[in-house]
Amino acid sequence: MTGAVTIRGAGVVGLCVATELMARGISVTLRDPAPAPGAHGCSWWAGGMLAPFCEGFSAEEPVMRLGQEAADWWQAQGVEVIRRGSLVVTLARDRRELDQFARRTTGHRLLTGAELAALEPHLADRHDRALFFAGEAHIDPRAALLHLRKRLQEAGARFEQTDAPADGPVIDCRGLAAQDSLPDLRGVKGEMVVLRAPDVTLSRPVRLLHPRFPLYIVPRGDGVFMLGATQIESGDRWRASVRSVMELLSAAYALHPAFGEAEVVEIGVDARPAFPDNLPRITARGETIHANGLFRHGFLLSPAVARMTAALVMRENEKPEFAHEDHG
């Protein structure tokens, strides 16, 4: 593929691929039926945590290794990257959960209750220890999507509001919509809540480990927090259940009682695209390259997937790490 490429899907993967291609002198047209990034469920509803070390608890090794590229990549694109690390805590009755998390992850140090209070005063006296992952970061995913789109438009990329297939070279980044071409792609439902809690101050993402419903809270500034996220094996993209929302809110209240007085600003739901091994795949099929299956690691792995996809287009690499044999 050379010259001009059509990208189907203008969520985080499509925008990152377009950014990498245009940096290599390729003309790009992005096709998506959504009028703006706000309609891209998975990308729009992401937490924005660039937390490769925490993800090492359950994810495969490439997620942790390649995810460490993300913060520098987003910053290089002009996105504000907040590098204050992340925290992992438990309730007193779940102390073993923290011990297990520590054994299965790297890049952290154990904090005493006093050290935790120095980092996050609003958590003072609520937890007697925590794990601090100093090398992690977070971004506002909505601001990042809008920023990439604006930069691409200014650089000459075209955006077309359609889902119609295109002639010539195509990179398919449609997420779960690409099940029509990728039959082993599945949906993993995620529900999340946006809260406004002006009485709570947190300066970095906090994960609350829980045996039934682990929680993360990501500060957005001005008392706004992203609260997430469930992980349910389902392709349902539209319905947030009462049980899931109640569990998320209950966990937030357990982290800090002031969340009990928070305003519920938004409730979101979508299904993340995932392959059986929960790793991305880059699949070449004729003039089409599929870049998909980022599971819950959209903003963490999109830079690496975009770099590999662009390298495949430019024939810079015979076989990118996430390259997958086409059996379709």
Side-chain angles (χ1 to χ4, degrees):
M1 294 184 183
T2 56
V5 172
T6 298
I7 298 175
R8 297 183 69 191
V12 63
V13 181
L15 293 173
C16 289
V17 170
T19 298
E20 287 288 326
L21 287 176
M22 293 199 72
R24 290 163 169 78
I26 301 294
S27 176
V28 170
T29 297
L30 294 101
R31 288 189 167 190
D32 197 299
H40 296 290
C42 286
S43 298
W44 194 248
W45 288 107
M49 294 183 296
L50 307 179
F53 300 106
C54 281
E55 290 303 321
F57 176 75
S58 58
E60 298 293 331
E61 182 274 339
V63 175
M64 185 177 70
R65 173 169 44 84
L66 295 170
Q68 293 179 56
E69 301 177 11
D72 288 345
W73 190 91
W74 286 107
Q75 187 166 322
Q77 311 314 315
V79 172
E80 181 184 10
V81 177
I82 302 170
R83 298 175 184 262
R84 296 178 187 150
S86 60
L87 288 167
V88 179
V89 300
T90 60
L91 302 179
R93 65 176 184 266
D94 301 321
R95 290 174 62 95
R96 291 182 180 179
E97 300 286 329
L98 193 69
D99 294 335
Q100 182 184 43
F101 201 92
R103 287 193 299 269
R104 295 176 58 177
T105 56
T106 61
H108 57 71
R109 66 183 177 94
L110 182 66
L111 302 182
T112 65
E115 290 171 325
L116 171 62
L119 280 180
E120 295 291 356
H122 273 218
L123 298 182
D125 302 323
R126 301 200 56 79
H127 307 276
D128 62 358
R129 59 187 188 143
L131 295 176
F132 179 47
F133 292 79
E136 297 189 335
H138 67 285
I139 61 176
D140 182 335
R142 299 183 178 186
L145 291 170
L146 293 169
H147 178 77
L148 282 192
R149 186 182 180 103
K150 182 173 183 290
R151 286 183 77 239
L152 287 166
Q153 289 173 322
E154 291 173 348
R158 295 177 55 196
F159 285 81
E160 298 179 352
Q161 192 178 338
T162 178
D163 194 32
D167 296 327
V170 171
I171 300 176
D172 191 325
C173 304
R174 291 179 295 146
L176 203 57
Q179 283 180 309
D180 57 5
S181 301
L182 302 170
D184 54 348
L185 195 66
R186 78 187 198 282
V188 181
K189 181 180 178 181
E191 297 143 305
M192 55 288 293
V193 181
V194 178
L195 301 177
R196 181 174 287 108
D199 294 330
V200 180
T201 300
L202 296 174
S203 59
R204 54 185 55 79
V206 178
R207 296 179 187 241
L208 175 63
L209 303 181
H210 189 283
R212 291 205 321 275
F213 41 89
L215 166 86
Y216 63 74
I217 293 181
V218 186
R220 292 278 184 262
D222 298 323
V224 176
F225 299 87
M226 167 67 78
L227 171 66
T230 60
Q231 187 171 307
I232 301 167
E233 290 291 331
S234 169
D236 175 19
R237 307 183 66 176
W238 315 113
R239 184 184 64 88
S241 71
V242 170
R243 179 176 64 182
S244 293
V245 173
M246 287 183 63
E247 288 180 343
L248 288 171
L249 294 175
S250 296
Y253 179 76
L255 180 70
H256 198 295
F259 279 113
E261 302 301 319
E263 172 192 356
V264 177
V265 179
E266 296 176 82
I267 297 174
V269 59
D270 211 304
R272 313 168 183 93
F275 291 109
D277 61 1
N278 292 334
L279 288 174
R281 292 181 186 174
I282 302 169
T283 307
R285 184 179 298 167
E287 286 197 289
T288 298
I289 295 174
H290 295 271
N292 212 318
L294 276 72
F295 187 36
R296 66 183 188 192
H297 309 303
F299 284 79
L300 184 66
L301 288 186
S302 281
V305 169
R307 172 178 55 77
M308 295 176 192
T309 302
L312 188 61
V313 170
M314 302 297 292
R315 296 180 172 84
E316 297 172 357
N317 189 332
E318 287 297 320
K319 188 176 182 180
E321 182 167 353
F322 288 136
H324 183 75
E325 296 296 329
D326 177 22
H327 301 295

